[in-house]
Structures are given as structure tokens and as C-alpha cells.
Coordinates of all heavy atoms in Angstrom, one line a residue:
M1 N 74.3 95.7 42.8 CA 73.7 97.0 43.2 C 74.7 98.1 42.9 O 75.9 97.9 43.2 CB 73.3 96.9 44.7 CG 72.3 98.0 45.1 SD 71.7 97.8 46.8 CE 70.8 96.3 46.7
T2 N 74.2 99.2 42.5 CA 75.1 100.4 42.2 C 75.6 101.0 43.5 O 75.1 100.6 44.6 CB 74.3 101.4 41.4 OG1 75.2 102.5 41.1 CG2 73.1 101.9 42.1
D3 N 76.4 102.0 43.5 CA 76.9 102.6 44.7 C 76.2 103.9 45.0 O 76.6 104.6 45.9 CB 78.4 102.9 44.5 CG 78.8 103.8 43.4 OD1 77.9 104.0 42.5 OD2 79.9 104.3 43.4
K4 N 75.2 104.3 44.2 CA 74.4 105.5 44.5 C 73.0 105.4 44.0 O 72.7 104.6 43.1 CB 75.1 106.7 43.8 CG 75.0 106.7 42.3 CD 75.7 107.9 41.7 CE 75.6 107.9 40.2 NZ 76.0 109.1 39.5
V5 N 72.2 106.3 44.5 CA 70.8 106.4 44.0 C 70.7 107.9 43.6 O 70.9 108.8 44.5 CB 69.8 106.1 45.1 CG1 68.4 106.3 44.6 CG2 69.9 104.6 45.6
T6 N 70.3 108.2 42.4 CA 70.1 109.6 42.0 C 68.7 110.0 42.1 O 67.8 109.3 41.7 CB 70.6 109.7 40.5 OG1 71.9 109.2 40.4 CG2 70.5 111.1 40.0
R7 N 68.5 111.1 42.8 CA 67.2 111.7 43.0 C 66.5 111.9 41.7 O 67.1 112.2 40.7 CB 67.3 113.0 43.7 CG 67.9 112.9 45.1 CD 68.0 114.3 45.8 NE 66.7 114.8 46.1 CZ 66.2 115.9 45.5 NH1 66.9 116.6 44.7 NH2 64.9 116.3 45.8
G8 N 65.2 111.7 41.7 CA 64.3 112.0 40.5 C 64.5 110.9 39.4 O 64.0 111.1 38.3
T9 N 65.1 109.8 39.7 CA 65.2 108.7 38.7 C 64.4 107.5 39.2 O 63.8 107.5 40.2 CB 66.7 108.3 38.5 OG1 67.2 107.7 39.8 CG2 67.6 109.5 38.1
T10 N 64.4 106.5 38.4 CA 63.6 105.3 38.6 C 64.5 104.1 38.7 O 64.3 103.1 37.8 CB 62.5 105.1 37.6 OG1 63.0 105.0 36.3 CG2 61.5 106.2 37.7
P11 N 65.4 104.0 39.6 CA 66.3 102.8 39.6 C 65.6 101.6 40.1 O 64.6 101.6 40.8 CB 67.4 103.3 40.7 CG 66.6 104.1 41.6 CD 65.7 104.9 40.7
T12 N 66.2 100.4 39.7 CA 65.7 99.1 40.1 C 66.7 98.6 41.2 O 67.9 98.5 40.9 CB 65.6 98.2 39.0 OG1 64.6 98.7 38.0 CG2 65.1 96.8 39.4
I13 N 66.2 98.3 42.3 CA 67.0 97.8 43.4 C 66.9 96.2 43.4 O 65.8 95.7 43.4 CB 66.5 98.3 44.8 CG1 66.5 99.8 44.8 CG2 67.4 97.7 45.9 CD1 67.8 100.5 44.6
C14 N 68.0 95.5 43.3 CA 68.0 94.1 43.1 C 68.7 93.4 44.2 O 69.8 93.8 44.6 CB 68.7 93.7 41.8 SG 68.8 92.0 41.5
F15 N 68.0 92.4 44.8 CA 68.6 91.5 45.8 C 68.8 90.2 45.2 O 67.8 89.6 44.7 CB 67.8 91.5 47.0 CG 67.8 92.8 47.8 CD1 66.8 93.7 47.5 CD2 68.7 93.0 48.8 CE1 66.8 94.9 48.2 CE2 68.7 94.2 49.5 CZ 67.7 95.1 49.2
T16 N 70.0 89.6 45.2 CA 70.3 88.3 44.6 C 70.5 87.3 45.7 O 71.3 87.6 46.7 CB 71.5 88.4 43.7 OG1 71.2 89.4 42.7 CG2 71.8 87.1 43.0
Y17 N 69.9 86.1 45.6 CA 70.0 85.1 46.6 C 70.5 83.8 45.9 O 69.9 83.4 44.9 CB 68.7 84.8 47.3 CG 68.2 86.0 48.1 CD1 67.3 86.9 47.5 CD2 68.6 86.2 49.4 CE1 66.9 88.0 48.2 CE2 68.1 87.3 50.1 CZ 67.3 88.2 49.5 OH 66.8 89.3 50.2
T18 N 71.6 83.2 46.5 CA 72.1 81.9 45.9 C 71.6 80.8 46.8 O 71.6 79.6 46.4 CB 73.6 82.0 45.9 OG1 74.2 82.2 47.1 CG2 74.1 83.0 44.9
D19 N 71.3 81.0 48.1 CA 70.9 80.0 49.0 C 69.5 80.1 49.5 O 69.1 79.4 50.4 CB 71.8 80.0 50.2 CG 71.8 81.3 50.9 OD1 71.3 82.3 50.4 OD2 72.4 81.4 52.0
V20 N 68.6 80.9 48.8 CA 67.2 81.0 49.2 C 66.4 80.9 47.9 O 66.7 81.5 46.9 CB 66.9 82.4 49.8 CG1 65.5 82.6 50.1 CG2 67.8 82.6 51.1
D21 N 65.3 80.0 48.0 CA 64.4 79.8 46.9 C 63.4 81.0 46.9 O 62.5 80.9 47.7 CB 63.7 78.5 47.0 CG 62.8 78.1 45.9 OD1 62.6 79.0 45.0 OD2 62.3 77.0 45.8
T22 N 63.5 81.9 46.1 CA 62.6 83.1 46.1 C 61.2 82.7 45.8 O 60.3 83.5 46.2 CB 63.1 84.2 45.1 OG1 63.3 83.6 43.8 CG2 64.4 84.8 45.5
S23 N 60.9 81.6 45.1 CA 59.6 81.2 44.9 C 58.8 80.8 46.1 O 57.6 80.7 46.1 CB 59.5 80.1 43.8 OG 60.0 78.9 44.4
R24 N 59.6 80.5 47.2 CA 59.0 80.1 48.5 C 58.7 81.3 49.4 O 58.2 81.1 50.5 CB 59.9 79.1 49.2 CG 60.0 77.8 48.4 CD 60.8 76.8 49.2 NE 60.4 76.7 50.6 CZ 61.2 76.5 51.6 NH1 62.5 76.3 51.5 NH2 60.7 76.4 52.8
M25 N 59.0 82.5 48.9 CA 58.8 83.7 49.8 C 57.3 84.0 49.8 O 56.7 84.1 48.8 CB 59.6 84.9 49.2 CG 61.1 84.8 49.4 SD 62.0 86.2 48.9 CE 63.6 85.8 49.3
T26 N 56.8 84.2 51.1 CA 55.4 84.6 51.2 C 55.3 86.0 51.7 O 54.2 86.6 51.6 CB 54.7 83.7 52.3 OG1 55.5 83.8 53.5 CG2 54.7 82.2 51.8
A27 N 56.4 86.6 52.1 CA 56.4 88.0 52.5 C 57.9 88.5 52.2 O 58.8 87.8 52.4 CB 56.0 88.3 53.9
A28 N 58.0 89.8 51.8 CA 59.3 90.4 51.7 C 59.1 91.9 51.7 O 58.0 92.4 51.2 CB 60.0 90.0 50.4
Y29 N 60.0 92.6 52.3 CA 60.0 94.1 52.4 C 61.3 94.6 52.0 O 62.4 94.1 52.5 CB 59.6 94.5 53.8 CG 58.3 94.0 54.2 CD1 58.2 92.8 54.9 CD2 57.2 94.8 54.0 CE1 56.9 92.4 55.3 CE2 55.9 94.4 54.4 CZ 55.8 93.1 55.1 OH 54.6 92.7 55.5
M30 N 61.4 95.6 51.2 CA 62.6 96.4 50.9 C 62.4 97.7 51.5 O 61.4 98.5 51.3 CB 62.7 96.6 49.3 CG 64.1 97.2 48.9 SD 64.1 99.0 48.9 CE 62.8 99.4 47.8
T31 N 63.3 98.1 52.4 CA 63.2 99.3 53.2 C 64.4 100.2 52.9 O 65.5 99.7 52.9 CB 63.1 99.0 54.7 OG1 62.1 98.1 55.0 CG2 62.9 100.3 55.5
M32 N 64.1 101.5 52.6 CA 65.1 102.5 52.4 C 65.0 103.5 53.6 O 63.9 104.0 53.9 CB 64.9 103.2 51.1 CG 65.1 102.4 49.9 SD 64.7 103.3 48.4 CE 65.8 104.7 48.5
R33 N 66.1 103.7 54.2 CA 66.2 104.6 55.3 C 67.3 105.7 55.1 O 68.4 105.3 54.6 CB 66.4 103.8 56.6 CG 66.3 104.6 57.9 CD 66.4 103.8 59.1 NE 67.7 103.2 59.2 CZ 68.1 102.4 60.2 NH1 67.2 102.0 61.1 NH2 69.3 101.9 60.3
Q34 N 67.0 106.9 55.5 CA 68.0 107.9 55.4 C 67.9 108.8 56.7 O 66.8 109.2 57.1 CB 67.8 108.8 54.2 CG 69.0 109.7 53.9 CD 68.7 110.5 52.6 OE1 67.7 111.0 52.3 NE2 69.7 110.6 51.7
R35 N 69.1 109.0 57.3 CA 69.2 109.8 58.5 C 68.2 109.3 59.6 O 67.6 110.1 60.3 CB 68.9 111.3 58.2 CG 69.9 111.8 57.3 CD 69.8 113.3 57.1 NE 70.2 114.0 58.3 CZ 69.8 115.2 58.7 NH1 68.9 115.8 57.9 NH2 70.2 115.7 59.8
G36 N 68.1 107.9 59.7 CA 67.2 107.3 60.7 C 65.7 107.3 60.4 O 65.0 106.8 61.2
Q37 N 65.3 107.8 59.3 CA 63.9 107.9 58.9 C 63.6 107.0 57.7 O 64.4 107.0 56.7 CB 63.5 109.3 58.6 CG 63.7 110.3 59.7 CD 62.4 110.8 60.2 OE1 61.4 110.7 59.6 NE2 62.5 111.4 61.4
V38 N 62.6 106.2 57.7 CA 62.2 105.4 56.5 C 61.7 106.3 55.5 O 60.8 107.1 55.7 CB 61.1 104.3 56.9 CG1 60.6 103.6 55.7 CG2 61.7 103.3 57.9
V39 N 62.3 106.2 54.3 CA 62.0 107.1 53.1 C 61.0 106.4 52.2 O 60.1 106.9 51.7 CB 63.2 107.5 52.4 CG1 62.9 108.3 51.2 CG2 64.2 108.2 53.3
A40 N 61.2 105.1 52.0 CA 60.4 104.3 51.2 C 60.4 102.8 51.6 O 61.4 102.3 52.2 CB 60.8 104.3 49.7
E41 N 59.3 102.1 51.5 CA 59.2 100.7 51.8 C 58.3 100.1 50.7 O 57.2 100.6 50.4 CB 58.7 100.5 53.2 CG 58.7 99.1 53.6 CD 58.6 98.9 55.1 OE1 57.4 99.0 55.6 OE2 59.6 98.8 55.8
K42 N 58.7 98.9 50.2 CA 57.9 98.2 49.2 C 57.8 96.8 49.7 O 58.6 96.2 50.4 CB 58.6 98.3 47.9 CG 58.7 99.7 47.3 CD 59.0 99.6 45.8 CE 59.0 101.0 45.2 NZ 57.7 101.3 44.6
E43 N 56.7 96.2 49.3 CA 56.3 94.8 49.7 C 56.5 93.8 48.5 O 56.8 94.2 47.4 CB 54.9 94.7 50.2 CG 54.6 95.6 51.4 CD 53.2 95.4 51.9 OE1 52.7 94.3 51.9 OE2 52.6 96.5 52.2
L44 N 56.4 92.5 48.8 CA 56.6 91.5 47.9 C 55.8 91.6 46.6 O 56.3 91.5 45.5 CB 56.4 90.1 48.5 CG 56.7 88.9 47.6 CD1 58.1 88.8 47.1 CD2 56.3 87.6 48.4
Y45 N 54.5 92.0 46.8 CA 53.6 92.1 45.6 C 54.1 93.2 44.6 O 53.7 93.2 43.5 CB 52.2 92.3 46.0 CG 51.8 93.7 46.5 CD1 51.4 94.7 45.6 CD2 51.9 94.1 47.8 CE1 51.1 96.0 46.0 CE2 51.6 95.4 48.2 CZ 51.2 96.3 47.3 OH 50.9 97.6 47.7
Q46 N 54.9 94.1 45.1 CA 55.4 95.2 44.3 C 56.8 94.8 43.6 O 57.3 95.6 42.8 CB 55.6 96.5 45.1 CG 54.4 97.0 45.7 CD 54.6 98.1 46.7 OE1 55.2 97.8 47.8 NE2 54.2 99.3 46.4
A47 N 57.3 93.6 43.9 CA 58.6 93.2 43.4 C 58.4 92.3 42.1 O 57.3 91.7 41.9 CB 59.3 92.4 44.4
T48 N 59.4 92.3 41.3 CA 59.5 91.3 40.3 C 60.4 90.2 40.9 O 61.5 90.4 41.3 CB 60.2 91.9 39.0 OG1 59.4 93.0 38.5 CG2 60.4 90.8 37.9
V49 N 59.8 89.0 40.9 CA 60.5 87.8 41.5 C 60.9 86.9 40.4 O 60.1 86.5 39.6 CB 59.5 87.1 42.5 CG1 60.3 85.9 43.1 CG2 59.0 88.0 43.5
T50 N 62.2 86.7 40.3 CA 62.8 85.7 39.4 C 63.6 84.7 40.2 O 63.7 84.8 41.4 CB 63.7 86.4 38.4 OG1 64.8 86.9 39.0 CG2 62.9 87.5 37.6
E51 N 64.1 83.7 39.5 CA 64.9 82.7 40.2 C 66.1 83.3 40.9 O 67.0 83.8 40.2 CB 65.3 81.6 39.3 CG 66.0 80.4 39.9 CD 66.3 79.3 39.0 OE1 65.6 79.1 38.0 OE2 67.3 78.6 39.2
G52 N 66.1 83.3 42.2 CA 67.2 83.9 43.0 C 67.3 85.4 43.1 O 68.3 85.9 43.6
R53 N 66.2 86.1 42.6 CA 66.3 87.6 42.6 C 65.0 88.2 43.0 O 63.9 87.7 42.5 CB 66.8 88.1 41.3 CG 68.2 87.7 40.9 CD 68.5 88.0 39.5 NE 68.6 89.5 39.3 CZ 68.8 90.1 38.2 NH1 69.0 89.4 37.1 NH2 68.8 91.4 38.1
L54 N 65.1 89.3 43.7 CA 63.9 90.2 44.0 C 64.3 91.5 43.4 O 65.4 92.0 43.8 CB 63.6 90.3 45.5 CG 63.1 89.1 46.2 CD1 62.9 89.4 47.7 CD2 61.8 88.6 45.6
L55 N 63.4 92.2 42.6 CA 63.7 93.5 42.1 C 62.6 94.4 42.3 O 61.4 94.1 42.1 CB 63.9 93.3 40.5 CG 65.1 92.4 40.1 CD1 64.5 91.1 39.7 CD2 65.8 93.1 38.9
W56 N 62.9 95.6 42.9 CA 62.0 96.6 43.1 C 62.4 97.9 42.3 O 63.5 98.3 42.4 CB 61.9 97.0 44.6 CG 61.1 96.1 45.4 CD1 59.7 96.0 45.6 CD2 61.6 95.1 46.3 NE1 59.3 95.1 46.5 CE2 60.4 94.5 46.9 CE3 62.8 94.6 46.6 CZ2 60.6 93.4 47.9 CZ3 62.9 93.6 47.6 CH2 61.8 93.0 48.2
T57 N 61.4 98.5 41.6 CA 61.7 99.7 40.9 C 61.1 100.9 41.7 O 60.0 100.9 42.1 CB 61.1 99.7 39.5 OG1 61.7 98.6 38.8 CG2 61.4 101.0 38.7
L58 N 62.0 101.9 42.0 CA 61.6 103.0 42.7 C 60.9 104.0 41.7 O 61.3 104.1 40.6 CB 62.8 103.7 43.4 CG 63.5 102.8 44.4 CD1 64.7 103.5 44.9 CD2 62.6 102.5 45.6
T59 N 60.0 104.9 42.2 CA 59.4 105.9 41.4 C 60.3 107.2 41.6 O 61.1 107.4 42.5 CB 58.0 106.2 41.9 OG1 58.1 106.8 43.2 CG2 57.1 105.0 41.9
Q60 N 60.0 108.1 40.6 CA 60.7 109.4 40.7 C 60.3 110.1 42.1 O 61.1 110.7 42.7 CB 60.3 110.3 39.6 CG 60.8 110.0 38.2 CD 60.5 111.0 37.2 OE1 60.8 112.1 37.3 NE2 59.7 110.5 36.2
E61 N 59.0 110.0 42.4 CA 58.6 110.6 43.7 C 59.3 110.0 44.9 O 59.7 110.8 45.8 CB 57.1 110.4 43.9 CG 56.2 111.1 42.9 CD 56.0 110.4 41.5 OE1 56.6 109.3 41.3 OE2 55.3 110.9 40.7
E62 N 59.6 108.7 44.9 CA 60.3 108.1 46.0 C 61.7 108.6 46.1 O 62.2 109.0 47.2 CB 60.2 106.6 45.9 CG 58.9 106.0 46.2 CD 58.7 104.6 45.8 OE1 59.3 104.1 44.9 OE2 57.9 103.9 46.5
T63 N 62.4 108.7 44.9 CA 63.8 109.1 45.0 C 64.0 110.6 45.2 O 65.0 111.0 45.7 CB 64.6 108.7 43.7 OG1 64.0 109.3 42.6 CG2 64.6 107.2 43.5
L64 N 62.9 111.4 44.9 CA 63.0 112.8 45.2 C 62.9 113.1 46.7 O 63.2 114.2 47.1 CB 61.8 113.5 44.5 CG 62.1 113.7 43.0 CD1 60.8 114.2 42.3 CD2 63.2 114.7 42.7
L65 N 62.4 112.1 47.5 CA 62.4 112.2 48.9 C 63.8 112.2 49.6 O 64.0 112.5 50.7 CB 61.5 111.2 49.5 CG 60.0 111.2 49.2 CD1 59.3 110.0 49.7 CD2 59.4 112.5 49.7
L66 N 64.8 111.7 48.8 CA 66.1 111.5 49.3 C 66.8 112.9 49.5 O 66.6 113.8 48.7 CB 66.9 110.6 48.4 CG 66.4 109.2 48.3 CD1 67.2 108.5 47.2 CD2 66.4 108.5 49.6
R67 N 67.6 113.0 50.5 CA 68.4 114.2 50.7 C 69.8 114.0 50.2 O 70.5 113.1 50.6 CB 68.4 114.6 52.2 CG 67.0 114.9 52.6 CD 66.9 115.6 53.9 NE 67.8 116.8 54.0 CZ 68.1 117.4 55.1 NH1 67.6 116.9 56.2 NH2 68.9 118.4 55.1
P68 N 70.2 114.8 49.2 CA 71.6 114.6 48.7 C 72.6 114.8 49.8 O 72.5 115.6 50.7 CB 71.7 115.6 47.6 CG 70.7 116.7 47.9 CD 69.6 116.0 48.6
G69 N 73.7 114.1 49.6 CA 74.8 114.2 50.6 C 74.7 113.3 51.8 O 75.6 113.3 52.6
Y70 N 73.6 112.6 51.9 CA 73.5 111.7 53.0 C 73.3 110.3 52.5 O 72.7 110.1 51.4 CB 72.2 112.0 53.8 CG 72.3 113.3 54.5 CD1 71.7 114.5 54.0 CD2 73.0 113.5 55.7 CE1 71.8 115.7 54.6 CE2 73.1 114.7 56.4 CZ 72.5 115.8 55.8 OH 72.6 117.0 56.4
D71 N 73.9 109.3 53.1 CA 73.8 107.9 52.7 C 72.4 107.4 52.8 O 71.6 107.8 53.7 CB 74.7 107.0 53.5 CG 76.2 107.1 53.1 OD1 76.4 107.7 52.0 OD2 77.0 106.7 53.9
V72 N 72.0 106.4 52.0 CA 70.7 105.8 52.0 C 71.0 104.3 52.4 O 71.8 103.7 51.8 CB 70.1 105.8 50.6 CG1 68.7 105.1 50.7 CG2 69.9 107.2 50.1
E73 N 70.3 103.8 53.4 CA 70.5 102.4 53.8 C 69.3 101.7 53.2 O 68.2 102.1 53.2 CB 70.4 102.3 55.4 CG 71.5 103.0 56.1 CD 71.2 103.0 57.6 OE1 70.1 103.5 58.0 OE2 72.1 102.6 58.3
I74 N 69.7 100.5 52.6 CA 68.7 99.6 52.0 C 68.8 98.2 52.5 O 69.9 97.7 52.5 CB 68.8 99.7 50.4 CG1 68.6 101.1 50.0 CG2 67.8 98.8 49.8 CD1 68.9 101.3 48.5
Q75 N 67.7 97.6 52.8 CA 67.7 96.2 53.3 C 66.5 95.5 52.8 O 65.4 96.1 52.7 CB 67.8 96.2 54.8 CG 67.9 94.7 55.4 CD 68.0 94.7 56.9 OE1 67.2 95.4 57.6 NE2 68.9 93.9 57.4
C76 N 66.6 94.2 52.6 CA 65.4 93.3 52.3 C 65.3 92.3 53.5 O 66.2 91.7 53.9 CB 65.7 92.6 51.0 SG 64.3 91.4 50.6
R77 N 64.0 92.2 54.0 CA 63.7 91.2 54.9 C 62.6 90.3 54.3 O 61.8 90.8 53.5 CB 63.1 91.8 56.2 CG 64.2 92.5 57.0 CD 63.8 92.9 58.4 NE 63.4 91.7 59.1 CZ 62.5 91.7 60.1 NH1 61.9 92.8 60.5 NH2 62.2 90.5 60.7
Y78 N 62.6 89.0 54.6 CA 61.7 88.1 54.0 C 61.2 87.0 54.9 O 61.9 86.7 55.9 CB 62.3 87.5 52.7 CG 63.5 86.7 52.9 CD1 63.4 85.3 53.2 CD2 64.7 87.2 52.9 CE1 64.5 84.5 53.5 CE2 65.9 86.5 53.1 CZ 65.7 85.1 53.4 OH 66.8 84.3 53.7
R79 N 60.1 86.3 54.5 CA 59.7 85.1 55.2 C 59.4 84.0 54.2 O 58.7 84.4 53.1 CB 58.4 85.4 56.1 CG 58.0 84.2 56.9 CD 56.8 84.5 57.8 NE 55.6 84.7 56.9 CZ 54.9 85.8 56.9 NH1 55.3 86.9 57.6 NH2 53.9 86.0 56.1
L80 N 59.8 82.8 54.4 CA 59.5 81.7 53.5 C 58.2 81.0 54.0 O 57.7 81.2 55.1 CB 60.6 80.7 53.5 CG 62.0 81.3 53.1 CD1 63.0 80.2 53.1 CD2 61.9 81.9 51.7
D81 N 57.7 80.1 53.1 CA 56.5 79.4 53.4 C 56.5 78.5 54.6 O 55.5 78.1 55.1 CB 56.0 78.6 52.1 CG 57.0 77.7 51.6 OD1 58.1 77.5 52.2 OD2 56.8 77.1 50.5
D82 N 57.7 78.1 55.1 CA 57.9 77.3 56.3 C 58.1 78.1 57.5 O 58.3 77.6 58.6 CB 59.0 76.3 56.1 CG 60.4 76.9 56.0 OD1 60.5 78.2 56.0 OD2 61.4 76.2 55.9
G83 N 58.0 79.5 57.4 CA 58.1 80.4 58.5 C 59.5 80.9 58.8 O 59.7 81.8 59.6
T84 N 60.5 80.4 58.0 CA 61.9 80.8 58.1 C 61.9 82.3 57.7 O 61.3 82.7 56.7 CB 62.8 80.0 57.2 OG1 62.7 78.7 57.6 CG2 64.2 80.5 57.3
A85 N 62.6 83.1 58.5 CA 62.7 84.5 58.2 C 64.2 84.9 58.0 O 65.1 84.3 58.6 CB 62.2 85.4 59.3
G86 N 64.5 85.8 57.1 CA 65.8 86.2 56.8 C 65.9 87.7 56.5 O 64.9 88.3 56.3
A87 N 67.1 88.1 56.4 CA 67.4 89.5 56.1 C 68.7 89.7 55.3 O 69.6 88.9 55.6 CB 67.4 90.4 57.3
S88 N 68.7 90.6 54.4 CA 70.0 90.9 53.7 C 70.9 91.7 54.6 O 70.4 92.2 55.6 CB 69.7 91.6 52.4 OG 69.3 93.0 52.7
D89 N 72.1 91.9 54.2 CA 72.9 92.9 54.8 C 72.3 94.3 54.5 O 71.4 94.4 53.6 CB 74.3 92.9 54.1 CG 75.1 91.7 54.5 OD1 74.9 91.1 55.6 OD2 76.0 91.3 53.7
I90 N 72.7 95.3 55.3 CA 72.3 96.6 55.0 C 73.3 97.3 54.1 O 74.5 97.3 54.4 CB 72.1 97.5 56.3 CG1 71.1 96.8 57.2 CG2 71.8 98.9 56.0 CD1 71.0 97.5 58.6
F91 N 72.8 97.7 52.9 CA 73.7 98.3 51.9 C 73.5 99.9 52.1 O 72.4 100.4 52.3 CB 73.2 97.9 50.5 CG 73.4 96.5 50.3 CD1 72.3 95.6 50.4 CD2 74.6 95.9 49.9 CE1 72.4 94.2 50.2 CE2 74.7 94.5 49.7 CZ 73.6 93.7 49.9
C92 N 74.7 100.5 52.0 CA 74.7 102.0 52.1 C 75.1 102.6 50.8 O 76.1 102.2 50.2 CB 75.7 102.5 53.2 SG 75.2 102.1 54.8
L93 N 74.2 103.4 50.2 CA 74.4 104.0 48.9 C 74.4 105.5 49.1 O 73.7 106.1 50.0 CB 73.3 103.6 47.9 CG 73.0 102.1 47.8 CD1 71.9 101.9 46.8 CD2 74.3 101.4 47.3
A94 N 75.1 106.2 48.3 CA 75.1 107.7 48.3 C 73.8 108.2 47.6 O 73.4 107.6 46.6 CB 76.3 108.3 47.6
A95 N 73.3 109.3 48.1 CA 72.2 110.0 47.4 C 72.7 111.1 46.5 O 73.3 112.0 47.1 CB 71.2 110.5 48.4
S96 N 72.6 110.9 45.2 CA 73.1 111.9 44.3 C 72.1 112.9 43.9 O 70.9 112.6 43.7 CB 73.6 111.1 43.1 OG 74.2 111.9 42.1
D97 N 72.5 114.1 43.8 CA 71.5 115.2 43.5 C 71.3 115.4 42.0 O 72.0 114.9 41.2 CB 72.0 116.5 44.1 CG 70.9 117.5 44.4 OD1 69.7 117.1 44.2 OD2 71.2 118.6 44.9
I98 N 70.3 116.2 41.7 CA 69.9 116.6 40.3 C 69.9 118.1 40.2 O 69.8 118.8 41.2 CB 68.6 116.0 39.9 CG1 67.5 116.3 40.9 CG2 68.7 114.5 39.7 CD1 66.1 115.8 40.6
L99 N 70.0 118.6 39.0 CA 69.9 120.1 38.8 C 68.5 120.6 38.6 O 68.1 121.6 39.1 CB 70.7 120.5 37.6 CG 72.2 120.2 37.7 CD1 73.0 120.6 36.5 CD2 72.8 121.0 39.0
K100 N 67.6 119.8 37.9 CA 66.2 120.2 37.7 C 65.4 119.4 38.6 O 65.3 118.2 38.6 CB 65.8 119.9 36.2 CG 64.3 120.2 36.0 CD 63.9 120.2 34.6 CE 62.5 120.5 34.4 NZ 61.8 121.5 35.2
E101 N 64.8 120.1 39.5 CA 64.0 119.5 40.6 C 62.6 119.0 40.0 O 62.1 119.5 39.0 CB 63.7 120.5 41.7 CG 63.2 119.9 43.0 CD 64.1 119.0 43.7 OE1 65.3 119.1 43.6 OE2 63.5 118.0 44.3
G102 N 62.0 118.0 40.7 CA 60.7 117.6 40.3 C 60.6 116.4 39.4 O 61.7 115.9 38.9
V103 N 59.4 115.9 39.2 CA 59.2 114.8 38.3 C 59.3 115.3 36.8 O 58.7 116.3 36.5 CB 57.8 114.2 38.6 CG1 57.4 113.1 37.6 CG2 57.7 113.6 40.0
V104 N 59.9 114.5 36.0 CA 60.1 114.8 34.6 C 58.9 114.2 33.9 O 58.5 113.1 34.0 CB 61.4 114.2 34.0 CG1 61.5 114.5 32.5 CG2 62.6 114.8 34.8

């Protein structure tokens, strides 16, 4: 994962698992929070699932909701087909600003 999210871009957020079989996930959520408020949340059906990885691509509209100068917290929570639930660490990324506002 990179160390920043630039507003107005379409980054892909990737979670890598070495000890979890991603094909057994029945639910997963990627949550982005900034200054205590949820900015974006995506579900499993919106992810690209590969062996050991979940990838979510953000839209320009979603990253434009970020406030520059404040950290963005990102976490993935999931449930497996046997009911086991897990969560990633919370990653903190910087929100980077742009000069031209809006969707390109």
C-alpha cells in the first residue's frame, strides 16, 4: 500500500493475506475514515479477489471527499464461510491535495 491517497484520483487499495484463503470470504468491507467520519466504504462484491489479495478501486468522487492535510484511516474486515471473522491493521495514509478541483 502506498503512503498517501491523492484527491481526485482512482487508486487501488490492496490488502494482502498470507494466512487467509480469500476464496472462502463471504463478506468483506473496506472502510476509509477521516477525522472520525467514514468517507467511503466498499463491500466484497465491489472488490477484485485474487489468491491472497483483495483489491478495491476508489472513484474520483470518493477521493475528492478527502480533506487534504488530514490522515486517512483504512481497514478491511471480513468473514469466512465457517463464520470466522477477522480484521486488518488500521493503515494511516496522508491525503494529498490537487490543484484542479473536480472530476477530470
